[in-house]
Amino acid sequence: MEGGPLPLPKLRLERQSSDVRQIAHDHAHPPRAGDMAQLRQMQKAAPRERDEAHEGRKVASLSDTLRSGARRAGPRVIRGTPHECYSPGSPRVTANQSSRFVKAMSDAGLKPVVVYHNLSAAELYEKALQFEPSSHIVAGGALATMSGAKTGRSPQDKRIVREAGSEGDVWWGEGSPNHEMDERTFALNRERAVDYLNQLDRLYVCDGYACWEPTARYRIRIVCGRPYHALFSHNLLIRPTEEELAEQFGRPDFTIFNAGAFPANRFSSYQTSSTCISMSFARKEMVILGSQYAGNMKQGVFTLMNYWLPKRNILSLNAGCNVGSAGDVTLFFGLSGTGKTTFATDPQRWLLADDTLGWGENGVFGIEGGCYAKCIGLDKEREPGIHAAIRFGAVLENVCFNEDSREVDWDASQITENTRAAYPLEFMANARIPCLGGHPRNAVLLCCDLFGVLPPVCRLSLHQALYFFISGFTAKMAGTEQGVSQPEATFSACYTSTSLVWHPLKYAAMLGSKLEQHGTDVWLVNTGWFGGGYGVGRRLPLEFTRAIVAAIHSGELAAAACQTLPVFNLQVPVACSGMPSELLSPIDNWEDKETYRHQLRHLAGLFADNFQKLKGCTRHMSPEDIEKIEQAGPSL
């Protein structure tokens, strides 16, 4: 009709072919591909050209890692997703693979294995979401997953092979966390793990470093069947650059075979359950069977460092560490629940390590490339750095979340109270990369005293510091069966008894030498109860403990006047900026003074009994030095 609207251009809706350009609007930007397959190819940038010689060396290394002891050949290794389909019953063979290899695979029932090597976090997200129903992306972007039946470490299932080259170094016997295994049983466990891994459709291999100090760096390889384990390894190891992988990494110094989804043989020697975590220093390998808890890999690497680093005169420590603006380094020791992570991650200071470190002749350095934080009860206001670090790329283990909003319920413990977050160290805004620092000016030994008898802070002499280091004290609640609610003392030698290899006196002797050489001040800081024990008193507010740590950093407490705590003979500052002075003397906050004195003597007796179990080894420390340390403990 004249004067009416112009007719719309005619759309070509007839689909005559798969060419997407045939169904496009006349005035739309024309697609640059003929079909959806071409569009998908354009979505991803082409990888840069690979060095064929380097690729050949890497594939050979991976194949050698996965080789079974019963067969001379390893599996068919394909780096990345194969472009063409294949049938497991008829493996594809390249020119350099003999028919003997194919027969060996066929006889064992093995399939060609796709090996995903050092995938990025984004790629591992894709694999986890594709192949694991228990993996989900939660609000904030972290990958939430589950570890299965085992939601914590299994110290009673840890085994170290008794071998000629190392058995004289390892702490065996009563009180030791090291349960022995013979070489044959380890070989059987390795064979069981590798055969299981080789029968999976896909494997994940993560190559990374332990130790930020270049002269102490170790190459670690982790082989696993779950993408979440690979992402955990990617976060916790120090991530090498492409150049380092190509030019420096080579074959690993140590390999972990994580076959945790497959049980150990309970009827083989040295087995007590279907879980077995075994380590051979001679073979430089660790095998995980029967537990999918990711923390086993972290503990394995630290156990390894606890053996190898002292042989190089480097002290390995289970401690957090941060650095002030003036370069002053502080160490934080403490068991779970004492506040070690809270104080090590102080946003006003640079973070070097939240859990493990080495102390060598040049100073301290982090061992890990990431953090594995306990996140039950995580509060954004109290722990802003950790909360912000749990984002895309982080792994959340065994947490609960809202099905609709995907918001994490940090207080939920339906699966376990040991909920965990694993993320790269650089996710912390105050991380110092590389994680290298000088010699510590201060060392803080943290405890949470539920008996309510220890002061909030004490200054320790050298021998007192070694006594408390060897003791590794905190307190926790006993079980709630039949209404039991009394606290019980917990002693973990060197604050990491389950990861020790040498006798605790070996680490104590090394620590004493370094404290004395570098003039490090040592403090005992109690984040526990005052005015009575658990159920009567109250826990010291966090802001008061922060004030104590700030006074340690500033040097205020080093110059403060002190009074002596009876029985333990500890030097207690009489004043500290930022907290009421009456809280510094624990007896003044108890209504029943006699009950306080009784509890103080009771705790002292527990310390003395525990030290008797550890003082018998004179290989690493003279009887005279052991006696001086014992005398620095409480007087009964």
Side-chain angles (χ1 to χ4, degrees):
M1 182 174 64
E2 186 176 352
L6 295 174
L8 293 173
K10 185 178 180 181
L11 295 178
R12 287 178 287 175
L13 298 177
E14 306 84 22
R15 185 163 186 171
Q16 299 174 353
S17 71
S18 62
D19 192 329
V20 296
R21 289 170 292 200
Q22 298 300 313
I23 60 173
H25 193 290
D26 282 345
H27 296 288
H29 295 288
R32 298 178 180 179
D35 55 32
M36 290 304 298
Q38 291 180 22
L39 281 175
R40 292 190 187 99
Q41 289 178 355
M42 295 172 67
Q43 186 180 27
K44 299 178 182 179
R48 64 182 181 181
E49 292 188 12
R50 298 183 182 273
D51 182 328
E52 292 300 328
H54 164 62
E55 289 300 303
R57 291 193 300 271
K58 186 59 64 178
V59 168
S61 176
L62 294 172
S63 184
D64 184 60
T65 295
L66 292 165
R67 184 173 56 199
S68 169
R71 295 173 297 281
R72 295 185 179 275
R76 166 86 157 107
V77 175
I78 308 164
R79 291 198 64 211
T81 306
H83 295 294
E84 65 271 22
C85 297
Y86 61 87
S87 167
S90 177
R92 292 177 289 110
V93 187
T94 56
N96 62 350
Q97 288 183 299
S98 67
S99 58
R100 182 192 306 172
F101 168 69
V102 177
K103 185 177 185 302
M105 286 177 50
S106 177
D107 289 347
L110 300 184
K111 295 179 281 188
V113 177
V114 177
V115 176
Y116 295 109
H117 180 237
N118 274 35
L119 294 189
S120 66
E123 292 171 307
L124 290 169
Y125 265 53
E126 292 175 358
K127 302 305 177 189
L129 296 172
Q130 182 180 2
F131 299 115
E132 296 195 335
S134 62
S135 293
H136 306 273
I137 299 177
V138 295
L143 182 73
T145 188
M146 291 194 295
S147 65
K150 294 294 179 77
T151 59
R153 294 179 300 186
S154 303
Q156 296 304 313
D157 296 313
K158 172 186 170 185
R159 300 287 181 270
I160 291 181
V161 180
R162 187 182 282 271
E163 297 158 324
S166 61
E167 66 175 338
D169 300 330
V170 178
W171 174 29
W172 308 103
E174 184 181 0
S176 166
N178 302 314
H179 307 287
E180 71 174 285
M181 172 177 280
D182 63 22
E183 296 178 50
R184 181 179 184 277
T185 305
F186 178 84
L188 291 173
N189 279 357
R190 184 193 188 279
E191 188 82 349
R192 188 175 179 90
V194 171
D195 282 352
Y196 165 75
L197 292 168
N198 283 345
Q199 293 186 72
L200 298 177
D201 290 329
R202 61 197 67 84
L203 292 181
Y204 303 87
V205 175
C206 181
D207 286 344
Y209 294 112
C211 301
W212 284 92
E213 168 59 51
T215 61
R217 184 166 282 184
Y218 288 89
R219 297 164 296 187
I220 308 294
R221 170 169 293 169
I222 295 178
V223 183
C224 52
R226 294 191 63 181
Y228 122 70
H229 286 155
L231 183 56
F232 176 92
S233 305
H234 170 84
N235 289 347
L236 267 292
L237 293 176
I238 300 168
R239 291 158 291 286
T241 64
E242 284 293 329
E243 290 71 21
E244 287 173 331
L245 274 176
E247 300 171 9
Q248 300 177 21
F249 199 90
R251 294 184 182 272
D253 298 310
F254 192 80
T255 301
I256 295 176
F257 297 96
N258 187 343
F262 197 70
N265 185 342
R266 294 184 296 109
F267 298 102
S268 60
S269 302
Y270 304 97
Q271 306 294 143
T272 56
S273 74
S274 61
T275 297
C276 185
I277 299 145
S278 50
M279 179 177 292
S280 166
F281 294 127
R283 298 184 63 146
K284 300 180 180 179
E285 292 177 339
M286 175 178 171
V287 174
I288 300 173
L289 289 165
S291 173
Q292 299 180 67
Y293 178 64
N296 291 319
M297 296 181 286
K298 170 187 165 66
Q299 187 188 39
V301 173
F302 187 51
T303 301
L304 179 71
M305 295 300 104
N306 275 332
Y307 178 63
W308 280 353
L309 290 181
K311 291 177 77 72
R312 301 180 59 176
N313 199 33
I314 298 172
L315 175 59
S316 53
L317 295 170
N318 188 196
C321 178
N322 60 30
V323 186
S325 57
D328 55 301
V329 175
T330 300
L331 305 182
F332 294 92
F333 298 85
L335 301 177
S336 179
T338 60
K340 178 179 66 173
T341 300
T342 298
F343 296 112
T345 56
D346 182 347
Q348 304 302 316
R349 294 169 65 85
W350 295 107
L351 173 66
L352 280 188
D354 82 322
D355 196 45
T356 62
L357 56 90
W359 188 354
E361 61 180 28
N362 297 323
V364 296
F365 57 85
I367 288 176
E368 299 170 325
C371 304
Y372 190 42
K374 195 171 182 178
C375 56
I376 189 76
L378 180 65
D379 185 275
K380 184 177 180 179
E381 301 301 321
R382 292 164 60 93
E383 306 285 358
I386 296 174
H387 193 276
I390 301 175
R391 52 187 172 89
F392 183 85
V395 178
L396 283 172
E397 198 173 36
N398 299 318
V399 301
C400 301
F401 55 87
N402 183 282
E403 186 174 0
D404 295 324
S405 68
R406 292 297 196 265
E407 291 287 345
V408 176
D409 183 352
W410 301 111
D411 297 319
S413 58
Q414 290 94 313
I415 301 173
T416 177
E417 291 188 356
N418 188 37
T419 56
R420 293 278 178 169
Y423 47 86
L425 197 67
E426 57 265 28
F427 280 18
M428 296 292 291
N430 61 331
R432 179 172 175 173
I433 308 293
C435 301
L436 303 169
H439 298 287
R441 180 183 299 177
N442 292 288
V444 176
L445 310 184
L446 293 158
C447 68
C448 179
D449 173 24
L450 272 72
F451 296 93
V453 298
L454 293 179
V457 59
C458 308
R459 185 172 184 176
L460 304 180
S461 68
L462 174 63
H463 290 102
Q464 285 175 331
L466 298 183
Y467 184 90
F468 277 90
F469 174 73
I470 293 169
S471 301
F473 163 75
T474 194
K476 64 180 181 180
M477 291 309 303
T480 56
E481 293 183 9
Q482 299 180 355
V484 176
S485 59
Q486 294 299 311
E488 61 180 22
T490 298
F491 297 98
S492 181
C494 310
Y495 295 95
T496 180
S497 63
T498 58
S499 300
L500 296 182
V501 179
W502 304 81
H503 191 278
L505 291 182
K506 167 77 170 180
Y507 304 96
M510 295 181 70
L511 178 63
S513 175
K514 291 185 178 297
L515 293 176
E516 189 171 30
Q517 179 183 356
H518 301 290
T520 306
D521 289 333
V522 185
W523 308 86
L524 178 68
V525 172
N526 172 26
T527 64
W529 266 242
F530 72 98
Y534 183 86
V536 178
R538 294 184 294 123
R539 189 167 191 179
L540 192 72
L542 179 60
E543 58 265 29
F544 290 162
T545 311
R546 289 193 188 278
I548 289 171
V549 174
I552 291 173
H553 288 150
S554 69
E556 174 191 338
L557 289 190
C562 295
Q563 59 183 355
T564 302
L565 178 74
V567 183
F568 278 84
N569 302 312
L570 300 173
Q571 297 301 297
V572 183
V574 297
C576 175
S577 298
M579 69 174 298
S581 58
E582 61 268 19
L583 293 182
L584 293 170
S585 177
I587 192 172
D588 293 340
N589 296 280
W590 280 60
E591 291 186 6
D592 188 337
K593 311 300 184 188
E594 188 55 39
T595 300
Y596 168 82
R597 296 186 183 95
H598 172 76
Q599 285 289 77
L600 186 67
R601 290 192 295 271
H602 170 66
L603 181 59
L606 297 177
F607 267 89
D609 291 344
N610 177 73
F611 192 82
Q612 293 301 312
K613 304 173 186 176
L614 302 173
K615 72 173 190 176
C617 177
T618 59
R619 177 186 173 192
H620 306 296
M621 190 179 290
S622 69
E624 293 77 18
D625 286 336
I626 296 173
E627 183 178 359
K628 290 179 182 178
I629 294 173
E630 185 174 20
Q631 290 175 350
S635 303
L636 294 173

